Amino acid sequence: MAETKVIWVHLIWEKKDYFFGSISAIYDVLTEEQIGITKSSLLHAGMRDGSSHLTKRALIKQSRLIRTKKQG
């Protein structure tokens, strides 16, 4: 099976979910104010598979998307 890193961002008050391939990609779409943490702080938060980070505005989780291997 092939696995791809996925970072899920749930904006608590807006009740919206976003899925990203990297922490840097989050900040291409959302602002630090929307998330409640700076890019630098989140990069240094030690996110790893299965970990989560809670701010006053968002829940951020990192996991793996499991996909089947390409056949052919």
Side-chain angles (χ1 to χ4, degrees):
M1 281 187 267
E3 294 186 11
T4 303
K5 177 174 71 171
V6 175
I7 301 173
W8 169 53
V9 177
H10 173 72
L11 298 180
I12 297 167
W13 306 114
E14 291 87 347
K15 298 181 182 172
K16 290 185 179 179
D17 295 301
Y18 296 87
F19 300 89
F20 300 95
S22 69
I23 290 173
S24 293
I26 295 169
Y27 294 90
D28 289 340
V29 176
L30 302 171
T31 66
E32 293 177 347
E33 291 77 24
Q34 287 176 294
I35 301 167
I37 188 170
T38 65
K39 180 179 176 180
S40 177
S41 294
L42 190 54
L43 284 168
H44 291 92
M47 297 286 291
R48 61 188 182 285
D49 288 353
S51 69
S52 61
H53 190 85
L54 181 64
T55 71
K56 292 181 179 182
R57 304 205 41 91
L59 172 61
I60 304 156
K61 288 188 171 190
Q62 180 172 314
S63 191
R64 294 278 167 179
L65 176 66
I66 301 168
R67 302 182 303 174
T68 188
K69 288 185 181 177
K70 257 189 174 175
Q71 294 182 9

